[in-house]
Amino acid sequence: MDLFEYQGKRYFARFGIPVSPGGTADTVEEALAAADAAGYPVVVKAQVQVGGRGKAGGIKLAATPDEVRAHAGAILGMDIKGHRVKRLWLEHATDIEKEYYVSFTLDRGARAHLGMVSARGGVDIEQVAVDEPEAIARAHIDPSVGLTEHVARRMVEEAGLEVDARDGAIGIMLNLYRCYVEGDADLVEINPLVLATDGRVLALDAKVTLDDNAAFRHPEWDQFRDLDELDERERLARSKGLQYVGLDGDVGIIANGAGLAMSTCDVVNQVGGRPANFLDIGGGASAEVMANALDVINSDHNVKAIFINIFGGITRGEDVANGIVTALGRVDIAAPMVIRLDGTNAEAGREILRTVESDQVLSRPTMLEAARTAVELARARTAGPGDRADLAGSTS
Ligand code: GDP
Ligand code: MN
């Protein structure tokens, strides 16, 4: 998960890395309040997950409320390399003496962490790496040893940081390395790390990529999930803990296991239909999970038919069928449903499903037949009852 600058700075602050005081704003009014709180002069910064915001006009200094109003108004809604600006970060502006670069990331080839420091900060570091590779001091860090003060000092000396900035930079590097390891990041980058005219060294930008595999031990990461980026269906699915990806077809899909859910999407396509979503309910198929999945499918108004595709492995067919029957008692389905149940004790499960079968709830023994039925149902409902072939002529 990539963090926005304001989130990255909050993460940095937890590890003792100095950043400027500031706040977020989604409107011009909020920007004025955030500027007041940060203290003038301020810098108004577009929050998008892409570099080069400065060059694109997404970062402006403001000395007065009028300037904040003008810049905030211009930057909100701006398009920066395909990213629409919905949020600003305003912080107290720093008088910059020098801009540096520092980062830690994983060098998979070397099986070690890689630290980089440069006195050519603030600019495109990839370009520096090409034009002047010697301007970047690099060090591999053995994870079992960690970053020592000795190594950090050697790096800032080799990179040629101003003598006045070295102690501050070393302190920040040690904390940034902790943020990278203890904070379970794949990448932490400060560009620019600055030496201010008053002698302080601090982070003016923050790029943090968290390792999603470590999310289980960081409940606090939930605050970083930008739910605004998700559509309504995905937001609902996430709040219910379901693995869901919204698509733009009309056959709602529920399957157990990511592989089966993907195959289900493929089979629906193969028989000429279009999946409305990918939804993996995981190994089991309890009434609770099934009801949640149906709620999410119901929230998608494009869904014209529902296809439940369950392969009982460890979960037995009777349990799956009972889960579906109970869920149907709790949730009103918004579209007809086709169930394909196979695997362990499938026949016993289908026997149970027979008790709820109707023209709205159908059961088919194979995946292909079930897909065909679901796609036909969706098509018939899209065409509208008046156009249905089986009704043609019935009014004349
Ligand atoms: P990026 O262009 O997306 O990497 O955004 P940055 O946050 O790195 O900002 C770009 C540039 O804006 C920096 O390299 C600085 O030169 C300038 N800048 C950012 N914050 C301040 C500040 O507080 N004071 C001043 N004078 N310049 C700033
Ligand atoms: Mn930057």
Side-chain angles (χ1 to χ4, degrees), residues 45 51-53 59 122-123 189-192 204-206:
K45 310 184 75 174
R53 293 167 300 162
I59 294 177
V123 288
E189 181 187 89
I190 306 177
N191 186 24
L204 286 202
D205 194 3

Side-chain angles (χ1 to χ4, degrees), residues 227-239 244 296 299-301:
L227 295 180
D228 287 340
E229 299 282 304
L230 302 174
D231 75 22
E232 206 52 52
R233 303 172 296 171
E234 292 181 335
R235 197 188 316 237
L236 182 64
R238 180 161 288 174
S239 74
Y244 177 98
V296 173
S299 76
D300 183 344
H301 302 296

Side-chain angles (χ1 to χ4, degrees), residues 75-223:
I75 298 173
L76 278 169
M78 185 183 266
D79 187 285
I80 300 182
K81 300 178 186 170
H83 296 250
R84 176 89 34 210
V85 181
K86 290 193 245 164
R87 181 164 285 179
L88 303 172
W89 167 253
L90 289 95
E91 69 179 29
H92 185 66
T94 303
D95 251 331
I96 301 174
E97 177 79 31
K98 279 284 297 178
E99 301 194 30
Y100 307 126
Y101 172 94
V102 49
S103 70
F104 292 101
T105 189
L106 184 63
D107 183 344
R108 290 173 201 276
R111 297 179 186 179
H113 299 306
L114 175 66
M116 289 190 273
V117 181
S118 177
R120 303 262 192 289
V123 288
D124 189 359
I125 197 70
E126 281 78 11
Q127 202 54 48
V128 175
V130 173
D131 299 343
E132 291 175 89
E134 68 288 348
I136 302 173
R138 296 160 200 266
H140 280 115
I141 299 148
D142 180 336
S144 63
V145 177
L147 178 68
T148 61
E149 190 176 333
H150 171 74
V151 169
R153 184 166 299 280
R154 210 187 61 214
M155 290 176 78
V156 299
E157 285 172 0
E158 191 187 323
L161 264 56
E162 273 62 20
V163 172
D164 288 350
R166 290 184 188 174
D167 286 346
I170 291 163
I172 289 175
M173 285 171 69
L174 294 172
N175 283 335
L176 186 62
Y177 182 78
R178 268 200 321 118
C179 173
Y180 169 70
V181 175
E182 291 168 29
D184 281 311
D186 284 333
L187 166 74
V188 288
E189 181 187 89
I190 306 177
N191 186 24
L193 173 77
V194 302
L195 169 62
T197 49
D198 61 11
R200 288 177 307 138
V201 179
L202 70 163
L204 286 202
D205 194 3
K207 186 167 172 189
V208 175
T209 304
L210 298 173
D211 176 359
D212 290 315
N213 294 311
F216 70 94
R217 57 186 172 210
H218 294 280
E220 80 282 8
W221 286 2
D222 282 347
Q223 62 175 341

